[in-house]
Amino acid sequence: MFRSPAPLLQARTMAIVGASDRARWPVIIHRNLTETKSPVRIFPINPGRDEIWGMKCYPDFAALPEAPDLALIIIPAERIQACLEDGVRHGLKSALVYASGIGEGTDPEFHVRGDALKALCEESGLVACGPNCMGNVSVREKLFVYPNPNFNNSEPGPVAGVFQSGGTLQAWSLTAAERGIRFSYLVSSGNELSLDAADYVNFFVDDPHTKLIVLMVEGIRRPEAFKEAARKALATGKPILAVKVGQTEGARQSARSHTGAIAGDYDVFAALCERYGIVLCPSLDDMLETALAFQSGRLPKGDGMAFMSNSGGVVDLMHDHAGHENVNMPPLSPATSKALRKLVGPDMLIQNPMDCGQAGFADERNYMRVCEAVSKDHRIHMVAFEARTPNAPGGKTPEPLRELVDNTDIPVFAFNRMGYAPSEFGRRFQEEAGIPHLQSMPETVRAMKALAFYGRRAGGKIPPLPKPRGKSTSLSPQNIEGALKAVGVTPPRSIFTNSANTAGEAAQKIGFPVVLKIVSPNVSHKTEVGGVRLGLKSKAEVRDAARDLSKRLGKAAPKSSISGFLVQEMVAGVEMIVGVREDPLYGPVMVVGAGGILVELVKDTAFRMLPVNRSTASDM
């Protein structure tokens, strides 16, 4: 099911095809490897040169002294297939293909190239990253084959990333590094015609140095393999954070045009994330703050959050942000309140969130004592206090924060009201303090909510999908009432009839008032074609309404056929939609939400992958 990217990410020998001292990308990549003293042995390939970069240059793979683990393919798209076929004949194990024009877009030739490359990999066992990518970074192995020198000074860490967008990988990871996030691997996966997100995630789950996985997903190539990799990650306690494009039709079409990826239904992907314990982040900013929070390595044992500040305005704002996210901010226990009264002024209200006044502004150590007292409250599972990293020496020191971390075992965070640009000194301060300093209050709340979500799911098992036992005939208008009754759902009294005259008779049997609905195999949303009448109070009204509905359907949808009419008891109550469908990518999914004629406008819905148990149904 999985292909290993080890030859790619842990290569010891490397050919650079298209080696040149004039082309920008080969020059940058060679300089990266040289300046970082990478242990990889390099074989330049260029048939027009005998020597380059002070090294012997080879005309082709046949001339190399040994078969390389990896080849960087930095040549035009139309020459790549022949080059890789030559490499495979001479023992090449993996390739990194930078060029576009292979597998994406609408040009038929691009897709012919993509099919040929995919077939070569499948037949030969060659594994390839890309095409249409910008390279990778293996920090511990010192393989900096992304054409940017800014990764060269990276320090190894526990976070691995896979981005289908190479430019976004660069922008996000460099910003994340400035905030103190450290990486094991960074992969720009491109069109994923060979290695895909599932392969990389599976590799990172098995990698002992990787503790957290971040993804920027345009489309999932192999949903079942991705599910299996996510299942392994959840079982082994390695969180996955993801940003997924495709919330709009424009985003879905864009993804398909430049990577060839099918973005799929965003709501169903979100349901898959919920099932497999994947934290789905609404933005790149959110994924950065959430990754920083997860990098601390602590998971909460519950969802109770406490927020400390030195501003009443922050308290008011936090009420709003926490309320929007529906998070749990429990009141502090009497014992905690008593302990806090000794630490804050008599004019400060003991509450959660809490304004600590001068106790939080003037005395850093006392501020940490306040946070420590709150952390001991059995109702509280995470604590965040307002603070930002210092820009230069001479101000606060990290020791009080470090003492707080050492004196509690729950996750502890600092947060700021807004985003800011931390200095290098501030980043070192954060590391010495051992407390992630998050930015912007909404992102802070969502990051802590994500920790609570994953804390409930970590180490869990995914239930297998049972074989379906239902019958499609149960969904027909004639049988649906009996099918509902069989599982304990009481439907309105209903009679299906095939003519306007018999509709009036059916209504009299049910009892007035009634609802009349047109039944047509060509119409799913009856209200859109004027196919529903409410509150009919006599046989004549029902008969006339049925005839009128037939005329309206003929005008609204001339090619539609009429099977008959459904006459139902008129009932009142809360309207809901409950539905199940088979998603072509991710499998069977259930939706529950606000129903009625505004269902698609209001979009108050919850999606979950099947099977759904009583607890999940309650959450929905």
Side-chain angles (χ1 to χ4, degrees):
M1 177 178 285
F2 297 112
R3 297 153 293 202
S4 175
L8 177 89
L9 298 177
Q10 299 175 337
R12 296 182 179 180
T13 53
M14 175 194 303
I16 301 180
V17 181
S20 168
D21 49 16
R22 293 187 299 241
R24 183 167 174 266
W25 282 20
V27 168
I28 294 174
I29 291 170
H30 176 260
R31 187 182 300 145
N32 290 347
L33 298 171
T34 302
E35 290 182 353
T36 59
K37 298 180 180 179
S38 174
V40 67
R41 288 195 295 135
I42 300 173
F43 304 130
I45 293 182
N46 185 334
R49 299 287 296 270
D50 295 325
E51 182 180 313
I52 191 170
W53 304 319
M55 306 168 63
K56 178 178 173 58
C57 191
Y58 301 89
D60 50 30
F61 284 98
L64 298 182
E66 61 183 280
D69 296 327
L70 168 64
L72 308 185
I73 310 298
I74 318 177
I75 57 176
E78 61 270 18
R79 292 166 47 197
I80 288 175
Q81 184 68 23
C83 171
L84 289 177
E85 289 174 355
D86 181 51
V88 166
R89 284 194 296 270
H90 294 91
L92 177 64
K93 300 179 181 67
S94 70
L96 204 165
V97 182
Y98 294 88
S100 59
I102 307 175
E104 82 281 2
T106 58
D107 190 320
E109 179 61 26
F110 291 3
H111 289 275
V112 169
R113 294 173 187 163
D115 292 341
L117 175 56
K118 187 173 182 178
L120 175 65
C121 291
E122 291 175 350
E123 293 167 5
S124 68
L126 176 76
V127 292
C129 178
N132 193 19
C133 69
M134 292 184 68
N136 307 321
V137 173
S138 301
V139 182
R140 284 181 177 81
E141 293 82 357
K142 294 186 177 182
L143 291 179
F144 298 98
V145 294
Y146 192 103
N148 188 310
N150 290 331
F151 292 105
N152 292 356
N153 296 320
S154 300
E155 299 175 12
V159 182
V162 183
F163 282 51
Q164 289 177 327
S165 165
T168 308
L169 171 72
Q170 173 178 300
W172 187 88
S173 56
L174 291 177
T175 303
E178 291 173 353
R179 294 287 308 284
I181 295 174
R182 296 289 174 258
F183 298 100
S184 54
Y185 298 98
L186 291 170
V187 175
S188 162
S189 61
N191 291 355
E192 297 187 345
L193 295 186
S194 172
L195 294 167
D196 60 19
D199 295 314
Y200 295 117
V201 170
N202 181 68
F203 176 81
F204 297 147
V205 170
D206 292 336
D207 175 49
H209 301 294
T210 298
K211 308 299 181 185
L212 174 66
I213 301 165
V214 296
L215 308 175
M216 188 273 189
V217 178
E218 293 177 348
I220 299 298
R221 299 282 182 177
R222 297 184 299 143
E224 292 305 314
F226 182 79
K227 289 180 186 179
E228 175 59 18
R231 182 199 65 77
K232 286 178 59 178
L234 183 64
T236 55
K238 291 196 177 182
I240 298 175
L241 316 183
V243 166
K244 171 73 166 67
V245 308
Q247 296 189 53
T248 64
E249 182 59 28
R252 289 189 285 272
Q253 292 298 329
S254 177
R256 184 168 238 172
S257 69
H258 74 265
T259 68
I262 299 175
D265 189 313
Y266 187 88
D267 288 326
V268 179
F269 182 80
L272 181 145
C273 289
E274 194 283 333
R275 171 55 52 89
Y276 286 85
I278 299 171
V279 175
L280 184 58
C281 300
S283 69
L284 295 171
D285 289 314
D286 272 277
M287 189 162 72
L288 194 158
E289 304 305 327
T290 304
L292 191 57
F294 270 86
Q295 188 178 245
S296 70
R298 290 186 178 182
L299 290 177
K301 296 181 174 63
D303 62 0
M305 304 179 195
F307 298 92
M308 304 291 109
S309 177
N310 51 39
S311 166
V314 168
V315 168
D316 298 339
L317 289 168
M318 190 56 77
H319 274 297
D320 287 340
H321 295 312
H324 290 322
E325 296 297 332
N326 194 31
V327 302
N328 179 23
M329 291 192 305
L332 301 175
S333 70
T336 301
S337 299
K338 183 178 180 180
L340 290 178
R341 180 49 67 203
K342 300 176 182 178
L343 298 171
V344 301
D347 56 329
M348 293 293 103
L349 181 64
I350 305 297
Q351 60 176 346
N352 180 23
M354 182 176 168
D355 175 9
C356 301
Q358 288 298 311
F361 184 74
D363 187 340
E364 188 77 13
R365 197 169 296 277
N366 192 66
Y367 193 19
M368 295 302 98
R369 291 193 188 102
V370 169
C371 295
E372 182 179 343
V374 173
S375 74
K376 304 301 183 185
D377 194 314
H378 67 279
R379 302 173 181 175
I380 303 302
H381 308 104
M382 289 174 278
V383 173
F385 58 93
E386 185 192 2
R388 58 176 288 167
T389 56
N391 289 326
K396 62 182 182 179
T397 62
E399 284 75 17
L401 283 71
R402 183 78 251 176
E403 290 173 8
L404 171 61
V405 174
D406 293 340
N407 290 335
T408 182
D409 60 356
I410 71 171
V412 180
F413 308 102
F415 72 90
N416 198 56
R417 304 176 205 199
M418 300 167 291
Y420 62 95
S423 66
E424 176 62 20
F425 177 83
R427 185 188 61 75
R428 292 198 304 270
F429 177 96
Q430 176 182 250
E431 292 181 356
E432 292 173 14
I435 293 180
H437 281 59
L438 308 182
Q439 294 187 13
S440 184
M441 295 166 67
E443 282 86 348
T444 296
V445 171
R446 288 193 289 266
M448 294 170 69
K449 184 179 179 181
L451 276 173
F453 162 75
Y454 188 78
R456 292 191 299 270
R457 304 299 301 277
K461 296 181 179 180
I462 305 300
L465 185 67
K467 293 182 179 180
R469 300 192 304 270
K471 299 178 180 178
S472 59
T473 54
S474 298
L475 300 179
S476 66
Q478 300 91 331
N479 298 330
I480 187 67
E481 184 172 334
L484 290 172
K485 286 181 177 178
V487 292
V489 178
T490 304
R493 294 192 298 277
S494 305
I495 297 176
F496 174 79
T497 180
N498 55 17
S499 73
N501 291 330
T502 54
E505 301 293 334
Q508 190 168 33
K509 292 180 182 179
I510 290 174
F512 298 101
V514 297
V515 178
L516 182 69
K517 301 177 182 179
I518 201 164
V519 178
S520 168
N522 311 110
V523 176
S524 58
H525 294 289
K526 299 177 176 61
T527 55
E528 292 181 2
V529 295
V532 179
R533 290 292 178 82
L534 307 177
L536 303 176
K537 299 177 180 178
S538 69
K539 289 174 59 178
E541 282 189 32
V542 173
R543 184 177 58 251
D544 292 344
R547 291 169 179 166
D548 185 56
L549 289 180
S550 298
K551 293 178 182 178
R552 284 178 177 270
L553 181 64
K555 293 179 180 179
K559 296 183 180 181
S560 299
S561 61
I562 299 176
S563 303
F565 304 92
L566 187 64
V567 184
Q568 292 185 305
E569 172 189 9
M570 184 79 182
V571 296
V574 176
E575 293 184 89
M576 292 182 64
I577 180 172
V578 180
V580 172
R581 68 179 173 89
E582 182 83 12
D583 184 82
L585 287 177
Y586 305 120
V589 62
M590 173 177 278
V591 59
V592 173
I597 61 173
L598 299 179
V599 59
E600 292 186 350
L601 180 63
V602 176
K603 294 185 177 178
D604 177 17
T605 51
F607 289 79
R608 294 291 187 274
M609 304 297 294
L610 293 179
V612 168
N613 58 25
R614 183 178 295 273
S615 174
T616 302
S618 178
D619 289 341
M620 296 176 74

